[in-house]
Amino acid sequence: MQLWRRFTQRLRPRQAGDALLALPLGLIVVIVLVDVLAARLPLGPSLLIVAPALTASFASTLVTGAIAAVAVVGMLIIGLDSHLLGTVDFGSQFFALLVVSGVVTVFCYLRERRARELALVRMVSEATQRAVLRPLPRQIGPLRVASMYLAAQEQSLMGGDLYAAIRTPTGTRLIIGDVMGKGLTAISDAALLLGAFRESAHRQADLPELAAYLDHSVCWNLAEPSEVETAGECFITAALLDIPDALPLIHVVSCGHPPPLLLRARQVSALRATKPAPPLGLGELTAAVYHVDTFAFEPEELLLLHTDGVIEARDARGAFYPLAERASSWTLHSPSALIRHLRTDLLAHVGGHLTDDAAVIAVQHTFRQTPTVVRTTDDSA
């Protein structure tokens, strides 16, 4: 009995329950019993073809072949009982059962092989995307961090949105951005900017220099020599942040990106740039000047960075997602709890599917000394 159970468990595909597997087996048993015990049915043996065909719709190759073998045995039982083994009519039905059983079994094999190939491609794709968009750790220096990425394209972990964090000798630098466009081109452009940021964030002296370097990188690489006419059409909105370890401050350079939100005591404030720069990739066209805005960032506060895929998400009536309003009730949460609430609430708002990529980062400073700092702006930071 135990051996039989192990055998049936091995044969049974994960997606096929006992009820589904009982359908073809029950059909074979009913047809054989009715034909043998009651009276011979004109179409009785031919109905056995239904069993392997039905099994192929949900079961594996091994299970489909096993059911086909049982159907063949059932037809032989009917033939022996009715003394029809040598007749032309029974032979044609038996041959049809063998052909159909072979065809559906081969079909199952090809389907499983295709599924394995797709699973391998998906695994490689996911590994590649995770290498490009590395998950942010929960602790970066004195910062507690949580992040969320929702790709609009199904079966994808990454789209045109991006974020990254780099440690420097004095603090942490963050970037969050949104590439114009969708699909593989957007992913390629996001990977390009992330690579440039990781390579230069710890070397550039200040945020304006870093922003200028990233703008040049986008201009150089997004417009290939053969695509000069599209040089002004490729751009990436981004926000660059520098959060010192020793001071409760945030330095921000905005390149056409939605302003970060500061959450504290059930209040939400948008940290709007006084002089926002154009998106990365357009700096050479507009002679961009990168202005640094400095804001206070106390330990009990939460900093929420996001892309426009969040605030432009619409419900069934076309209403935008009210991020600031919803976030006001989560100001006392930890970064990870805030992200969990936001993810659930955002997906509920859009009915489970986004039409644009959405990325969010929640940051909390664990700096314990709280000197009085007045919010100022600094052109030379």
Side-chain angles (χ1 to χ4, degrees), residues 124-137 146-152 156-166 174-179 186-198 236 307 343 357-361:
V124 173
S125 175
E126 290 179 358
T128 302
Q129 293 183 55
R130 290 187 186 279
V132 173
L133 188 70
R134 302 169 190 169
L136 297 181
S147 60
M148 174 187 77
Y149 197 110
L150 297 174
S156 178
L157 298 179
M158 180 182 175
D161 289 0
L162 59 99
Y163 56 69
I166 293 292
L174 297 167
I175 185 174
I176 186 167
D178 186 1
V179 180
I187 295 176
S188 175
D189 295 346
L192 181 150
L193 181 59
L194 287 172
F197 174 77
R198 294 187 180 114
I236 304 173
T307 59
R343 180 189 181 94
D357 303 319
V360 182
I361 305 175

Side-chain angles (χ1 to χ4, degrees), residues 319-333:
F320 290 112
Y321 181 70
L323 175 61
E325 177 184 337
R326 301 294 176 84
S328 63
S329 61
W330 304 325
T331 57
L332 302 180
H333 288 73

Side-chain angles (χ1 to χ4, degrees), residues 215 219 232 276-290:
D215 178 75
C219 292
L280 300 176
L282 302 180
E284 293 183 352
L285 301 177
T286 59
V289 176
Y290 299 101

